[in-house]
Amino acid sequence: MSSYKGHSIFALLLAIMFFHNPLLIALTFIGANIPDFDHKFKKDNVYKLIIFGLIIFISLYILKLPYYIGLIIVFLGVTFYFSEHRSFTHSIFGVLTLTSAVSLILIWGYELIIGITVLNNHYIILAILIAILSFLFLNRKLLMVFLPVFFVSLFLINDLDINYIQIVLALFLGVFSHIVLDSFTPAGIKIFAPLSSKKVYKNFALLSIFALIVIAIFCNVPLLFELFEQYALSN
C-alpha cells in the first residue's frame, strides 16, 4: 500500500509540473490525501467530519445563511463511511465525486465569507480556507510541514491570482494522483466501482503518468517560449 508520504510527494511533483501558484499546489497536495479516508483506521476522522458538517449546517441554518456547505461536508463524511477501502473513492466516479464535493465546499465557503464580511483580500481568504481543509484531511505529521511551508510560500510568491476552474483542476489532479499511485500496488484499484469490480494495475498507472506529462508539457509551452525569448534576448 502506498503511504501518505508517497502520495504527498507524488502529488507535489505533479503539482509543480502544472502550477506555479502555492494555493493550487497546496490544493493538489491536500487532494492526494483525501481518498484514503475510506480506510478503517481513519473512521474516527470520518465521524469528526460528519459532526463538523452538522455543526456548520445547524449554525448557518440558525443564522439564515446558505447552509448547503454543511450538507456537502456531511455528504462527504457519509461517502467515506459507507465506502470500502480502495473501492468507490478509488474509482473514476469517486475521483469526480470527491473533487466536486471538496471544490464546492471551498468555493461556497469563499463566497460566504466574501458575502458576510468586509474582508477584501481574496487570496488570504482562500489561504485560510485551504488551511482549514488541511486540518480536515492531512495527518499531524504532514500538517507540521505543510502549514509553515504553505504560508511562507504565500509571502515569497506574488502570483496568487486563481479562478474556480483552476481550483477544481488542482483538486482533481491531487485526487487522481492518489488512484494512479495505488494502481501500482499488487491489489490494484477498481477503476469503475461501484458499477464494476474490474481492476486496473501498473499499465493504467504508467499510461496515466505518460498522459499527465504530455499534458503538462503542452500547458507549459507558452512559458517555455517566454523563457527561450528571454534567453535569446540576453545573448
Side-chain angles (χ1 to χ4, degrees):
M1 181 178 70
S2 299
S3 67
Y4 69 88
K5 294 180 182 178
H7 285 299
S8 300
I9 293 171
F10 182 54
L12 184 60
L13 292 174
L14 288 178
I16 293 172
M17 287 169 52
F18 280 89
F19 308 117
H20 310 98
N21 186 308
L23 297 174
L24 297 174
I25 293 173
L27 285 175
T28 304
F29 186 87
I30 294 170
N33 288 274
I34 294 175
D36 269 351
F37 263 61
D38 63 0
H39 203 291
K40 289 183 179 180
F41 71 79
K42 289 193 174 181
K43 286 299 181 184
D44 287 344
N45 291 331
V46 172
Y47 296 143
K48 293 176 183 177
L49 189 63
I50 295 173
I51 293 171
F52 177 70
L54 288 173
I55 292 173
I56 295 295
F57 165 71
I58 294 171
S59 300
L60 293 178
Y61 182 82
I62 292 174
L63 294 172
K64 296 182 178 180
L65 294 172
Y67 52 79
Y68 33 76
I69 301 173
L71 294 179
I72 290 290
I73 297 174
V74 172
F75 166 78
L76 196 59
V78 171
T79 299
F80 288 125
Y81 182 82
F82 286 105
S83 296
E84 295 181 3
H85 185 48
R86 287 202 182 167
S87 184
F88 175 70
T89 61
H90 287 62
S91 69
I92 290 297
F93 302 116
V95 169
L96 295 175
T97 299
L98 297 179
T99 300
S100 300
V102 179
S103 296
L104 287 175
I105 292 169
L106 186 61
I107 293 169
W108 285 347
Y110 169 79
E111 293 287 350
L112 177 63
I113 294 174
I114 290 294
I116 65 174
T117 69
V118 294
L119 295 176
N120 56 10
N121 192 322
H122 298 182
Y123 312 125
I124 294 300
I125 294 173
L126 280 173
I128 293 172
L129 290 173
I130 290 171
I132 293 173
L133 282 182
S134 72
F135 277 103
L136 291 176
F137 296 114
L138 300 183
N139 64 38
R140 293 180 181 178
K141 292 181 179 179
L142 281 179
L143 272 176
M144 291 176 64
V145 177
F146 172 81
L147 287 176
V149 172
F150 174 56
F151 282 110
V152 168
S153 67
L154 295 180
F155 290 101
L156 296 179
I157 301 176
N158 296 321
D159 182 18
L160 298 176
D161 188 22
I162 64 175
N163 55 49
Y164 292 160
I165 294 176
Q166 290 175 315
I167 288 174
V168 174
L169 290 176
L171 284 168
F172 175 84
L173 180 64
V175 179
F176 183 70
S177 75
H178 187 107
I179 72 169
V180 169
L181 207 58
D182 274 357
S183 61
F184 273 112
T185 63
I189 58 167
K190 298 177 181 178
I191 191 66
F192 296 117
L195 300 181
S196 171
S197 58
K198 175 181 172 60
K199 288 188 175 183
V200 293
Y201 301 90
K202 183 179 179 180
N203 287 342
F204 169 79
L206 293 174
L207 181 62
S208 297
I209 292 173
F210 175 76
L212 288 171
I213 292 173
V214 171
I215 295 171
I217 293 173
F218 178 78
C219 291
N220 283 288
V221 164
L223 177 61
L224 294 174
F225 272 111
E226 182 179 340
L227 292 174
F228 176 77
E229 288 178 356
Q230 291 178 356
Y231 173 79
L233 290 173
S234 64
N235 289 280

